[in-house]
mmCIF file of all heavy atoms in Angstrom:
data_model
loop_
_atom_site.group_PDB
_atom_site.id
_atom_site.type_symbol
_atom_site.label_atom_id
_atom_site.label_comp_id
_atom_site.label_asym_id
_atom_site.label_seq_id
_atom_site.Cartn_x
_atom_site.Cartn_y
_atom_site.Cartn_z
ATOM 1 N N SER Z 55 106.828 100.231 83.404
ATOM 2 C CA SER Z 55 105.949 99.106 83.620
ATOM 3 C C SER Z 55 105.000 99.352 84.803
ATOM 4 O O SER Z 55 103.784 99.127 84.707
ATOM 5 C CB SER Z 55 106.765 97.850 83.816
ATOM 6 O OG SER Z 55 105.942 96.764 84.178
ATOM 7 N N PHE Z 56 105.599 99.820 85.920
ATOM 8 C CA PHE Z 56 104.811 100.001 87.132
ATOM 9 C C PHE Z 56 103.714 101.050 86.916
ATOM 10 O O PHE Z 56 102.572 100.880 87.286
ATOM 11 C CB PHE Z 56 105.723 100.384 88.278
ATOM 12 C CG PHE Z 56 105.027 100.145 89.639
ATOM 13 C CD1 PHE Z 56 105.141 98.936 90.282
ATOM 14 C CD2 PHE Z 56 104.299 101.203 90.227
ATOM 15 C CE1 PHE Z 56 104.498 98.718 91.495
ATOM 16 C CE2 PHE Z 56 103.647 100.954 91.425
ATOM 17 C CZ PHE Z 56 103.754 99.727 92.080
ATOM 18 N N GLN Z 58 102.294 101.924 84.144
ATOM 19 C CA GLN Z 58 101.258 101.390 83.267
ATOM 20 C C GLN Z 58 100.279 100.500 84.054
ATOM 21 O O GLN Z 58 99.065 100.648 83.964
ATOM 22 C CB GLN Z 58 101.894 100.616 82.113
ATOM 23 C CG GLN Z 58 100.904 100.067 81.087
ATOM 24 C CD GLN Z 58 100.318 98.703 81.470
ATOM 25 O OE1 GLN Z 58 100.992 97.896 82.061
ATOM 26 N NE2 GLN Z 58 99.032 98.512 81.152
ATOM 27 N N MET Z 59 100.849 99.612 84.904
ATOM 28 C CA MET Z 59 100.001 98.712 85.682
ATOM 29 C C MET Z 59 99.141 99.488 86.697
ATOM 30 O O MET Z 59 97.970 99.226 86.871
ATOM 31 C CB MET Z 59 100.860 97.669 86.396
ATOM 32 C CG MET Z 59 101.535 96.716 85.436
ATOM 33 S SD MET Z 59 102.257 95.278 86.264
ATOM 34 C CE MET Z 59 103.614 96.040 87.161
ATOM 35 N N GLU Z 60 99.786 100.452 87.334
ATOM 36 C CA GLU Z 60 99.087 101.248 88.354
ATOM 37 C C GLU Z 60 97.903 101.964 87.733
ATOM 38 O O GLU Z 60 96.815 102.009 88.295
ATOM 39 C CB GLU Z 60 100.073 102.253 88.955
ATOM 40 C CG GLU Z 60 99.597 102.875 90.242
ATOM 41 C CD GLU Z 60 100.614 103.860 90.828
ATOM 42 O OE1 GLU Z 60 101.779 103.844 90.369
ATOM 43 O OE2 GLU Z 60 100.232 104.657 91.699
ATOM 44 N N SER Z 61 98.162 102.501 86.559
ATOM 45 C CA SER Z 61 97.075 103.248 85.881
ATOM 46 C C SER Z 61 95.998 102.302 85.404
ATOM 47 O O SER Z 61 94.808 102.593 85.529
ATOM 48 C CB SER Z 61 97.728 104.051 84.758
ATOM 49 O OG SER Z 61 96.920 104.094 83.639
ATOM 50 N N ALA Z 62 96.371 101.140 84.883
ATOM 51 C CA ALA Z 62 95.379 100.152 84.391
ATOM 52 C C ALA Z 62 94.546 99.654 85.575
ATOM 53 O O ALA Z 62 93.396 99.237 85.388
ATOM 54 C CB ALA Z 62 96.072 98.998 83.684
ATOM 55 N N CYS Z 63 95.090 99.683 86.796
ATOM 56 C CA CYS Z 63 94.404 99.152 87.955
ATOM 57 C C CYS Z 63 93.788 100.269 88.798
ATOM 58 O O CYS Z 63 93.410 100.050 89.962
ATOM 59 C CB CYS Z 63 95.348 98.352 88.828
ATOM 60 S SG CYS Z 63 95.979 96.877 87.968
ATOM 61 N N ASP Z 66 94.982 100.756 92.469
ATOM 62 C CA ASP Z 66 94.665 99.755 93.550
ATOM 63 C C ASP Z 66 95.805 98.768 93.679
ATOM 64 O O ASP Z 66 96.036 97.955 92.752
ATOM 65 C CB ASP Z 66 93.339 99.109 93.196
ATOM 66 C CG ASP Z 66 92.990 97.995 94.170
ATOM 67 O OD1 ASP Z 66 93.583 97.993 95.291
ATOM 68 O OD2 ASP Z 66 92.165 97.122 93.820
ATOM 69 N N ALA Z 67 96.467 98.753 94.841
ATOM 70 C CA ALA Z 67 97.626 97.875 95.016
ATOM 71 C C ALA Z 67 97.296 96.372 94.884
ATOM 72 O O ALA Z 67 98.046 95.615 94.285
ATOM 73 C CB ALA Z 67 98.255 98.145 96.404
ATOM 74 N N ALA Z 68 96.121 96.006 95.384
ATOM 75 C CA ALA Z 68 95.736 94.575 95.293
ATOM 76 C C ALA Z 68 95.530 94.160 93.836
ATOM 77 O O ALA Z 68 95.899 93.057 93.431
ATOM 78 C CB ALA Z 68 94.482 94.327 96.101
ATOM 79 N N ALA Z 69 94.968 95.086 93.050
ATOM 80 C CA ALA Z 69 94.755 94.786 91.600
ATOM 81 C C ALA Z 69 96.094 94.704 90.906
ATOM 82 O O ALA Z 69 96.270 93.865 90.005
ATOM 83 C CB ALA Z 69 93.870 95.835 91.004
ATOM 84 N N VAL Z 70 97.054 95.570 91.261
ATOM 85 C CA VAL Z 70 98.384 95.469 90.685
ATOM 86 C C VAL Z 70 98.996 94.131 91.019
ATOM 87 O O VAL Z 70 99.573 93.450 90.117
ATOM 88 C CB VAL Z 70 99.309 96.632 91.136
ATOM 89 C CG1 VAL Z 70 100.727 96.420 90.690
ATOM 90 C CG2 VAL Z 70 98.796 97.978 90.647
ATOM 91 N N ALA Z 71 98.865 93.688 92.233
ATOM 92 C CA ALA Z 71 99.369 92.379 92.629
ATOM 93 C C ALA Z 71 98.786 91.256 91.803
ATOM 94 O O ALA Z 71 99.512 90.368 91.297
ATOM 95 C CB ALA Z 71 99.120 92.110 94.125
ATOM 96 N N ALA Z 72 97.472 91.321 91.581
ATOM 97 C CA ALA Z 72 96.795 90.303 90.769
ATOM 98 C C ALA Z 72 97.297 90.303 89.350
ATOM 99 O O ALA Z 72 97.472 89.279 88.720
ATOM 100 C CB ALA Z 72 95.282 90.508 90.830
ATOM 101 N N LEU Z 73 97.547 91.534 88.830
ATOM 102 C CA LEU Z 73 98.026 91.691 87.441
ATOM 103 C C LEU Z 73 99.435 91.067 87.302
ATOM 104 O O LEU Z 73 99.742 90.418 86.311
ATOM 105 C CB LEU Z 73 98.010 93.142 87.064
ATOM 106 C CG LEU Z 73 98.364 93.545 85.633
ATOM 107 C CD1 LEU Z 73 97.581 92.732 84.617
ATOM 108 C CD2 LEU Z 73 98.143 95.003 85.402
ATOM 109 N N ILE Z 74 100.278 91.298 88.329
ATOM 110 C CA ILE Z 74 101.643 90.751 88.297
ATOM 111 C C ILE Z 74 101.583 89.252 88.307
ATOM 112 O O ILE Z 74 102.239 88.551 87.501
ATOM 113 C CB ILE Z 74 102.444 91.286 89.480
ATOM 114 C CG1 ILE Z 74 102.752 92.801 89.279
ATOM 115 C CG2 ILE Z 74 103.774 90.492 89.643
ATOM 116 C CD1 ILE Z 74 103.385 93.468 90.461
ATOM 117 N N LEU Z 75 100.718 88.678 89.174
ATOM 118 C CA LEU Z 75 100.579 87.176 89.250
ATOM 119 C C LEU Z 75 100.099 86.662 87.908
ATOM 120 O O LEU Z 75 100.597 85.597 87.441
ATOM 121 C CB LEU Z 75 99.594 86.828 90.393
ATOM 122 C CG LEU Z 75 100.136 86.939 91.805
ATOM 123 C CD1 LEU Z 75 98.991 86.738 92.805
ATOM 124 C CD2 LEU Z 75 101.261 85.925 92.075
ATOM 125 N N ASP Z 76 99.204 87.382 87.285
ATOM 126 C CA ASP Z 76 98.662 86.929 86.012
ATOM 127 C C ASP Z 76 99.708 86.940 84.928
ATOM 128 O O ASP Z 76 99.861 85.979 84.154
ATOM 129 C CB ASP Z 76 97.472 87.843 85.649
ATOM 130 C CG ASP Z 76 96.856 87.456 84.291
ATOM 131 O OD1 ASP Z 76 96.381 86.307 84.169
ATOM 132 O OD2 ASP Z 76 96.951 88.280 83.325
ATOM 133 N N THR Z 77 100.504 88.029 84.867
ATOM 134 C CA THR Z 77 101.566 88.162 83.846
ATOM 135 C C THR Z 77 102.585 87.024 84.009
ATOM 136 O O THR Z 77 102.956 86.375 83.026
ATOM 137 C CB THR Z 77 102.246 89.526 83.938
ATOM 138 O OG1 THR Z 77 101.286 90.539 83.645
ATOM 139 C CG2 THR Z 77 103.419 89.631 82.967
ATOM 140 N N VAL Z 78 102.997 86.797 85.263
ATOM 141 C CA VAL Z 78 104.001 85.780 85.507
ATOM 142 C C VAL Z 78 103.458 84.376 85.180
ATOM 143 O O VAL Z 78 104.135 83.515 84.670
ATOM 144 C CB VAL Z 78 104.559 85.917 86.947
ATOM 145 C CG1 VAL Z 78 105.500 84.723 87.274
ATOM 146 C CG2 VAL Z 78 105.259 87.242 87.105
ATOM 147 N N ALA Z 79 102.154 84.153 85.522
ATOM 148 C CA ALA Z 79 101.549 82.868 85.228
ATOM 149 C C ALA Z 79 101.507 82.635 83.726
ATOM 150 O O ALA Z 79 101.732 81.521 83.230
ATOM 151 C CB ALA Z 79 100.142 82.785 85.812
ATOM 152 N N ARG Z 80 101.256 83.705 82.946
ATOM 153 C CA ARG Z 80 101.092 83.519 81.484
ATOM 154 C C ARG Z 80 102.429 83.508 80.769
ATOM 155 O O ARG Z 80 102.602 82.803 79.777
ATOM 156 C CB ARG Z 80 100.233 84.647 80.898
ATOM 157 C CG ARG Z 80 98.746 84.458 81.230
ATOM 158 C CD ARG Z 80 97.871 85.408 80.438
ATOM 159 N NE ARG Z 80 98.148 86.796 80.810
ATOM 160 C CZ ARG Z 80 98.285 87.791 79.903
ATOM 161 N NH1 ARG Z 80 98.146 87.558 78.598
ATOM 162 N NH2 ARG Z 80 98.549 89.015 80.307
ATOM 163 N N MET Z 84 108.283 88.394 84.603
ATOM 164 C CA MET Z 84 107.541 89.627 84.799
ATOM 165 C C MET Z 84 107.885 90.617 83.684
ATOM 166 O O MET Z 84 108.526 91.637 83.892
ATOM 167 C CB MET Z 84 107.875 90.233 86.187
ATOM 168 C CG MET Z 84 107.050 91.457 86.519
ATOM 169 S SD MET Z 84 105.252 91.230 86.182
ATOM 170 C CE MET Z 84 104.859 92.782 85.413
ATOM 171 N N ASN Z 86 106.226 92.921 81.246
ATOM 172 C CA ASN Z 86 104.977 93.641 80.975
ATOM 173 C C ASN Z 86 104.645 93.626 79.504
ATOM 174 O O ASN Z 86 105.397 94.142 78.659
ATOM 175 C CB ASN Z 86 105.149 95.111 81.469
ATOM 176 C CG ASN Z 86 103.849 95.915 81.365
ATOM 177 O OD1 ASN Z 86 103.121 95.775 80.359
ATOM 178 N ND2 ASN Z 86 103.603 96.727 82.360
ATOM 179 N N PRO Z 87 103.499 92.988 79.105
ATOM 180 C CA PRO Z 87 103.216 92.878 77.661
ATOM 181 C C PRO Z 87 102.850 94.210 77.001
ATOM 182 O O PRO Z 87 102.927 94.316 75.800
ATOM 183 C CB PRO Z 87 102.012 91.905 77.648
ATOM 184 C CG PRO Z 87 101.425 91.961 78.990
ATOM 185 C CD PRO Z 87 102.510 92.370 79.972
ATOM 186 N N VAL Z 88 102.504 95.212 77.784
ATOM 187 C CA VAL Z 88 102.159 96.515 77.211
ATOM 188 C C VAL Z 88 103.421 97.367 76.999
ATOM 189 O O VAL Z 88 103.679 97.868 75.894
ATOM 190 C CB VAL Z 88 101.161 97.282 78.134
ATOM 191 C CG1 VAL Z 88 100.823 98.612 77.502
ATOM 192 C CG2 VAL Z 88 99.925 96.448 78.363
ATOM 193 N N LEU Z 131 106.310 82.604 91.106
ATOM 194 C CA LEU Z 131 105.811 83.332 92.259
ATOM 195 C C LEU Z 131 104.911 82.405 93.088
ATOM 196 O O LEU Z 131 103.961 81.831 92.555
ATOM 197 C CB LEU Z 131 105.034 84.583 91.807
ATOM 198 C CG LEU Z 131 105.859 85.747 91.298
ATOM 199 C CD1 LEU Z 131 104.918 86.929 91.012
ATOM 200 C CD2 LEU Z 131 106.935 86.177 92.311
ATOM 201 N N ILE Z 134 102.451 87.192 96.564
ATOM 202 C CA ILE Z 134 102.834 88.594 96.650
ATOM 203 C C ILE Z 134 102.493 89.072 98.033
ATOM 204 O O ILE Z 134 101.339 89.009 98.464
ATOM 205 C CB ILE Z 134 102.193 89.416 95.551
ATOM 206 C CG1 ILE Z 134 102.771 88.985 94.191
ATOM 207 C CG2 ILE Z 134 102.394 90.926 95.783
ATOM 208 C CD1 ILE Z 134 102.331 89.826 93.009
#
Side-chain angles (χ1 to χ4, degrees):
Chain Z
S55 172
F56 198 88
Q58 183 274 325
M59 292 193 292
E60 194 179 346
S61 142
C63 297
D66 176 19
V70 171
L73 184 51
I74 291 172
L75 285 171
D76 178 62
T77 297
V78 173
R80 286 191 297 136
M84 186 47 224
N86 185 319
V88 180
L131 287 183
I134 291 187

